[in-house]
Amino acid sequence: MEYISKLFNFISQNIYIKYAIYAILLIILIRFISLFLRIFFRIFSTDTSSKITEAKRLEKLGNFYGAGMIYEEIGRYEKASECYLKAKNFNACAKMHEKLGKYYEAKKMYLKAENYSKAASMVLLKPEKTSLDFEESAEIYIRGRFYKEALDLLLKIKNFRKVAEIFESLKNYEDAAIYYEKAQMLEKAAENYERNFYHIKNQKLGEILDESEKVHLIKAAKTWEKLGNVKKAISLLEKERLNEELAELLERKNMWKEAAELWEKKEKFLKAAECYEKADELKRSHLMRARHFYEEGNYSESAKHFEEAGDLVRAAEDYEVTNDFHKSGELYKLLGNYVKAAENFFKAGEKHKAAKMFELAEEFESAGKIYAELRDFAKAEEMYGKAGNYFEAGKLTLNTGDEEKALEFFQRVKSTDENYDEAQRLIAEIFFKREEYKLAFERFTQILENSEISEKNLESFYHFGICSEKLSEYNTAIELYRKILNKDYNFKDVRERLENLMNLTIEVKELIETPETEERYRIIQRIGKGGMGTVYKAEDLLLKRVVALKILKRENLEDSRSIERFYLEARAAAALNHPNIVTIFDVGKFKENYFISMEYIEGKTMQELLKEKNFISFDEFFFVSLNLFHALNYAHNKNVIHRDIKPQNIMVSKENQVKVMDFGLAIILSEYKKGETGMITGTPLYMAPEQIRGEGIDRRVDIYSSGATLFHLITGKPLFSGDNVLYKHIFDPPDKPSSIRSDVPEEIDFFILKCLEKRKEDRFQSASEAISHLEKIRKNN
């Protein structure tokens, strides 16, 4: 090993020896490679020769495909292509041509093989390609349905027409339209935009199209417009109701009026105004501007434009909103709406004008009120007289000192007028002042006999007492003076007058002029009148109790049927014993009078309570309605119906107990017969439709009447009023209570309207059903 090491060190240190060794090694390598190549080529030459021989043999045998494969293997592509062609293997033949660089022949063979993709690629292998080559290649791709490749080629050479045709054939009408447009083939573009829109519309099957989908039809219309076919463009937009786009088109064509009408439909009022102005229709233009400003809430501007447009009603309304009451009043005056003119002049502080307008409108009472404020008493008196408000006319005349004329006016006040009692009091005061004591006494008796004494009427009670004293009605005077002293012990000279009277006479028992009575009942006072007769407060001398005594009207005595009904209904009511129903004690006849003796209730009817407070609270509503339906439920279970439920027949006692009165109109269901319904009984304001028509009735009439009564109690207004109330009950739908009184809950609306159904089958079918529903509502509220 030491010698070898020394040898390597020697060689590495001697550069010439190292290069000599490298040269020897290179010569050896070259000799080895030369020997390898001679051996390889000798073997290869022998193999190729044998393969050619085999290929020729296969050709002779007709196996051209096999021969072709051998020729392809040894690189003889010409011979291989010939054999593949003979074998009709066009794909293989084409590959050989491709290898030989014969792209035209290769293309032909690929086409024969229906290999369109390869065929098309052969066209583009040419070293120098023209646009025709791209078109040819694209055509081949199209034949093979390689549309993407075809489109890519055509887009490269910007053959937009051909691109559009491909998209059109594929029913891609949107892209077809785009490329027809690029190809400047506008008519074809318009057709395809239109086709695309209807294609989408048909797919939607009646659904509403969104704005992006409508764009296609808009593009179609614009394209037709470019082509000058405006009629076609308008037709398309009209057909699909694209009013805004149609309006823009009409504007471009200076068809201002038509455009304006479309902008108006779209409620683009400013655009409509501009177009109407250009169409020289200035009033319409102002109207559009008015509507625009009105929508914006700029009523000052809208009023001006409404006025310019000639719409004085809207102008007046908008001036009123902006508190320009003078302007509003002037316009209403022009319109002949004198009431509105008067109201606005009054708000503007122009009271003389307001009064004059009310006078022109024949609103004489309102005119009279303003003239009175202006202290023009002569005009005020004239107006109140024309209005038939004789009470106010009398008061004004009395203020001027003309007592005679005041008396004339007061005596013309009707008994139905809410101021009737006050008018009678003033008449009495005039007579008293003139020392016409008999006439004054009669009037005071009429208005004060059953009235509660109060601070307001103390003076009248005092004058009533003096009249009684002057006419020797000492007992009456004594009673009146006592009442006054109970109210105000130091009132004027009443104590002195009472003392003088007590020295002149003794106190007499209270006697009130009443019908004759038997010994059992002592009449105390009259307390009311009903359809069948008069009701008195009386003392039952036998049973020592106060009762309400109802006596049949004398004119009904000649009608045996009425008397029979009187007894029948009284017996029906007497069978009812319920805490919410007034108890019947007795029924009979004395001398020429028929009577019913019943429980006397101290309290007020719901009608009287309505006068005091307009309408009841919701707590009161549930209290009254539940007690009412409990009473009806009990009566209906006894086969008795009321037939005349109304506020006057529902009383709340001093002990806060609801009492239903006057079952005197009730009928016994088991005895009710068809053919006996011709007579309508009940009160028109509260009657059920079937009751009005005289049809067979049952307990559901009470449900309807209760609904009408509760409607009145909760709103303060009857269900129907004015003329033809009976007709309205049959045909007119009732208003919701909440439409009159806005705070009425929806549940109460539903309950009352359910009671008021025209068809009795649609109402609550019993009082108990109504009670259940009421209880649920009360829990929820």
Side-chain angles (χ1 to χ4, degrees):
M1 289 294 291
E2 185 178 346
Y3 291 114
I4 293 170
S5 175
K6 288 180 178 180
L7 179 63
F8 272 110
N9 287 334
F10 175 78
I11 293 170
S12 62
Q13 291 173 2
N14 194 324
I15 192 168
Y16 295 109
I17 293 173
K18 187 163 55 174
Y19 283 143
I21 291 170
Y22 287 160
I24 292 167
L25 290 172
L26 181 61
I27 291 167
I28 292 169
L29 179 62
I30 291 169
R31 292 284 293 179
F32 176 77
I33 291 169
S34 175
L35 178 63
F36 174 77
L37 289 173
R38 281 201 301 273
I39 294 168
F40 175 81
F41 279 114
R42 189 180 293 118
I43 293 168
F44 180 79
S45 177
T46 304
D47 186 50
T48 301
S49 177
S50 64
K51 284 184 177 180
I52 291 171
T53 302
E54 177 61 19
K56 287 180 178 179
R57 187 181 70 79
L58 290 172
E59 276 189 270
K60 285 181 181 179
L61 292 171
N63 186 353
F64 299 114
Y65 182 77
M69 289 178 67
I70 294 171
Y71 283 129
E72 183 180 356
E73 185 182 347
I74 62 175
R76 298 186 65 177
Y77 300 125
E78 281 284 353
K79 284 295 290 180
S81 68
E82 290 174 7
C83 289
Y84 283 140
L85 182 61
K86 288 177 182 177
K88 295 188 178 179
N89 191 327
F90 304 119
N91 250 323
C93 181
K95 285 180 183 177
M96 298 304 101
H97 287 307
E98 187 177 351
K99 287 182 178 181
L100 291 167
K102 297 180 178 180
Y103 301 119
Y104 177 75
E105 287 78 8
K107 177 195 75 174
K108 288 173 64 179
M109 290 301 105
Y110 277 129
L111 286 172
K112 280 193 173 186
E114 296 184 349
N115 190 342
Y116 298 107
S117 177
K118 289 293 289 181
S121 67
M122 293 301 102
V123 177
L124 299 178
L125 290 174
K126 290 170 64 175
E128 293 183 5
K129 296 177 279 294
T130 66
S131 60
L132 291 174
D133 294 322
F134 282 95
E135 286 181 9
E136 182 183 0
S137 182
E139 286 291 343
I140 294 170
Y141 274 127
I142 292 167
R143 285 174 63 187
R145 299 182 187 276
F146 294 97
Y147 298 111
K148 183 181 180 303
E149 291 79 359
L151 289 167
D152 289 342
L153 291 175
L154 293 168
L155 286 170
K156 282 181 181 178
I157 60 172
K158 297 185 179 181
N159 189 340
F160 299 128
R161 179 191 63 79
K162 194 67 181 175
V163 170
E165 288 173 352
I166 292 171
F167 281 125
E168 188 175 16
S169 69
L170 295 172
K171 296 186 178 178
N172 184 344
Y173 301 120
E174 182 179 6
D175 286 331
I178 291 167
Y179 285 101
Y180 274 130
E181 203 167 11
K182 287 185 177 183
Q184 296 300 307
M185 299 176 70
L186 298 183
E187 189 168 338
K188 291 288 287 181
E191 289 172 356
N192 278 276
Y193 278 131
E194 190 176 341
R195 281 181 188 170
N196 191 48
F197 172 80
Y198 287 111
H199 178 69
I200 293 169
K201 188 176 181 181
N202 290 335
Q203 286 181 324
K204 288 273 188 172
L205 294 175
E207 294 178 23
I208 297 173
L209 302 181
D210 59 37
E211 294 303 315
S212 65
E213 290 161 335
K214 292 177 182 176
V215 164
H216 306 294
L217 191 70
I218 294 167
K219 285 182 178 178
K222 285 183 177 178
T223 309
W224 285 119
E225 184 185 355
K226 279 184 188 176
L227 288 164
N229 194 343
V230 176
K231 186 176 180 182
K232 176 74 173 175
I234 290 173
S235 173
L236 278 179
L237 296 172
E238 276 184 342
K239 183 179 178 183
E240 297 304 325
R241 297 178 183 173
L242 297 176
N243 293 332
E244 194 165 325
E245 291 75 14
L246 179 55
E248 289 171 350
L249 187 156
L250 294 170
E251 276 192 68
R252 290 193 291 273
K253 298 303 173 185
N254 296 334
M255 299 170 71
W256 302 114
K257 184 178 179 182
E258 294 83 353
E261 289 169 350
L262 288 170
W263 287 125
E264 186 177 350
K265 280 184 184 177
K266 291 292 290 183
E267 296 188 357
K268 297 288 182 71
F269 299 124
L270 272 185
K271 293 283 289 179
E274 291 166 6
C275 291
Y276 276 126
E277 189 172 348
K278 288 175 181 176
D280 204 28
E281 294 207 13
L282 300 183
K283 282 197 172 185
R284 293 293 295 173
S285 177
H286 281 297
L287 183 59
M288 293 302 101
R289 292 185 195 279
R291 292 181 69 181
H292 167 74
F293 287 120
Y294 182 84
E295 293 292 332
E296 283 192 341
N298 188 344
Y299 302 115
S300 178
E301 285 298 316
S302 64
K304 292 174 188 174
H305 287 288
F306 275 129
E307 188 175 1
E308 289 291 339
D311 191 343
L312 301 186
V313 173
R314 296 289 296 277
E317 289 171 353
D318 287 2
Y319 278 126
E320 189 172 358
V321 170
T322 59
N323 297 332
D324 190 345
F325 300 119
H326 169 77
K327 188 69 175 173
S328 181
E330 291 293 347
L331 290 179
Y332 279 125
K333 179 181 174 183
L334 281 174
L335 288 163
N337 189 340
Y338 300 122
V339 171
K340 290 293 289 183
E343 290 170 354
N344 279 278
F345 282 135
F346 187 83
K347 289 175 186 175
E350 301 176 74
K351 292 185 178 180
H352 276 101
K353 280 188 176 181
K356 186 63 179 174
M357 291 301 103
F358 276 129
E359 188 177 351
L360 287 172
E362 297 186 357
E363 292 282 339
F364 299 119
E365 190 162 340
S366 298
K369 186 177 179 181
I370 297 173
Y371 280 128
E373 284 182 26
L374 295 168
R375 305 193 67 77
D376 187 346
F377 296 116
K379 277 298 270 186
E381 177 193 320
E382 179 190 342
M383 293 300 102
Y384 279 125
K386 286 183 177 180
N389 189 342
Y390 302 115
F391 177 72
E392 289 296 335
K395 278 174 63 179
L396 285 170
T397 309
L398 195 60
N399 287 338
T400 63
D402 190 345
E403 291 181 353
E404 198 63 43
K405 196 167 184 181
L407 270 177
E408 181 186 335
F409 279 126
F410 288 139
Q411 286 171 341
R412 294 175 69 183
V413 175
K414 294 180 180 178
S415 59
T416 54
D417 193 310
E418 62 180 353
N419 294 307
Y420 176 76
D421 287 346
E422 180 63 10
Q424 300 310 304
R425 188 190 70 79
L426 290 171
I427 291 171
E429 294 290 359
I430 292 170
F431 285 143
F432 177 80
K433 186 178 178 183
R434 291 162 57 169
E435 298 183 357
E436 297 179 27
Y437 297 118
K438 183 170 176 56
L439 293 174
F441 178 84
E442 289 173 356
R443 298 289 173 158
F444 281 132
T445 301
Q446 181 180 345
I447 60 171
L448 298 178
E449 186 177 29
N450 296 315
S451 297
E452 292 287 332
I453 194 165
S454 66
E455 295 291 340
K456 291 182 179 179
N457 59 18
L458 262 176
E459 188 76 20
S460 293
F461 268 92
Y462 176 64
H463 293 162
F464 187 13
I466 294 173
C467 288
S468 303
E469 192 177 341
K470 295 286 185 183
L471 296 172
S472 301
E473 295 283 347
Y474 301 127
N475 285 340
T476 302
I478 289 168
E479 182 64 26
L480 289 168
Y481 290 148
R482 282 177 172 173
K483 284 184 178 181
I484 294 169
L485 291 176
N486 284 336
K487 190 69 179 174
D488 185 346
Y489 189 70
N490 296 310
F491 190 79
K492 294 189 176 182
D493 62 346
V494 173
R495 275 187 295 164
E496 183 182 345
R497 285 181 174 276
L498 179 59
E499 188 178 347
N500 290 335
L501 282 175
M502 294 296 289
N503 291 331
L504 288 173
T505 185
I506 61 170
E507 184 178 356
V508 296
K509 290 182 180 181
E510 179 183 358
L511 295 172
I512 298 177
E513 189 175 327
T514 59
E516 292 182 0
T517 62
E518 288 187 316
E519 292 180 355
R520 177 169 177 178
Y521 295 100
R522 182 177 69 85
I523 301 298
I524 298 172
Q525 68 183 75
R526 191 181 76 181
I527 56 177
K529 273 190 173 185
M532 294 288 287
T534 304
V535 182
Y536 296 88
K537 179 180 178 181
E539 181 183 0
D540 186 331
L541 299 173
L542 180 63
L543 299 176
K544 302 298 182 183
R545 62 185 173 191
V546 175
V547 299
L549 198 68
K550 182 175 180 179
I551 299 177
L552 184 67
K553 284 183 179 178
R554 290 181 182 275
E555 54 264 33
N556 290 332
L557 290 175
E558 295 175 5
D559 184 356
S560 60
R561 183 178 176 80
S562 293
I563 296 168
E564 189 177 333
R565 269 186 75 242
F566 181 78
Y567 272 108
L568 178 66
E569 292 163 8
R571 285 196 296 272
L576 303 177
N577 184 14
H578 189 272
N580 296 121
I581 296 174
V582 172
T583 304
I584 303 296
F585 297 138
D586 192 13
V587 59
K589 178 182 179 184
F590 58 84
K591 297 184 180 177
E592 296 180 7
N593 295 309
Y594 291 83
F595 71 90
I596 299 175
S597 170
M598 65 190 79
E599 180 183 6
Y600 176 75
I601 307 296
E602 284 193 82
K604 293 183 178 180
T605 67
M606 294 310 300
Q607 184 70 17
E608 291 168 333
L609 289 171
L610 279 179
K611 287 181 180 178
E612 291 178 4
K613 57 195 299 185
N614 194 24
F615 52 76
I616 63 175
S617 69
F618 298 126
D619 286 340
E620 290 169 331
F621 169 84
F622 287 115
F623 172 71
V624 172
S625 55
L626 281 167
N627 281 286
L628 167 62
F629 281 105
H630 276 298
L632 290 175
N633 188 45
Y634 172 84
H636 292 168
N637 288 335
K638 294 285 186 180
N639 288 333
V640 176
I641 61 175
H642 191 287
R643 283 203 300 175
D644 196 22
I645 297 295
K646 57 187 176 182
Q648 297 94 315
N649 280 336
I650 302 170
M651 177 174 273
V652 178
S653 70
K654 284 187 176 181
E655 292 76 30
N656 202 33
Q657 188 176 19
V658 173
K659 291 279 189 177
V660 182
M661 303 185 296
D662 207 0
F663 269 84
L665 288 176
I667 58 170
I668 300 174
L669 294 178
S670 60
E671 294 183 19
Y672 189 75
K673 299 176 183 177
K674 290 181 180 179
E676 295 182 350
T677 61
M679 179 172 58
I680 297 176
T681 56
T683 304
L685 287 176
Y686 311 97
M687 286 172 68
E690 64 269 26
Q691 198 173 1
I692 295 166
R693 287 192 292 261
E695 299 171 355
I697 61 172
D698 57 30
R699 66 193 68 190
R700 288 171 290 187
V701 298
D702 285 348
I703 303 292
Y704 185 97
S705 297
S706 297
T709 297
L710 293 172
F711 184 102
H712 193 169
L713 296 181
I714 200 77
T715 64
K717 294 184 178 181
L719 177 62
F720 298 116
S721 57
D723 298 328
N724 299 319
V725 170
L726 297 178
Y727 176 92
K728 291 175 183 177
H729 274 294
I730 296 173
F731 297 106
D732 287 3
D735 293 326
K736 287 183 177 181
S738 59
S739 69
I740 298 169
R741 180 181 167 188
S742 60
D743 62 339
V744 174
E746 185 178 346
E747 297 91 336
I748 291 180
D749 268 347
F750 173 82
F751 177 82
I752 291 175
L753 293 178
K754 180 76 172 172
C755 292
L756 293 172
E757 290 287 350
K758 303 293 185 192
R759 297 175 67 252
K760 57 187 177 184
E761 295 81 6
D762 297 331
R763 297 173 206 150
F764 293 114
Q765 296 301 291
S766 67
S768 63
E769 185 183 349
I771 291 167
S772 299
H773 202 87
L774 272 171
E775 291 287 3
K776 288 178 186 175
I777 297 173
R778 187 169 64 170
K779 284 179 184 177
N780 293 335
N781 285 274

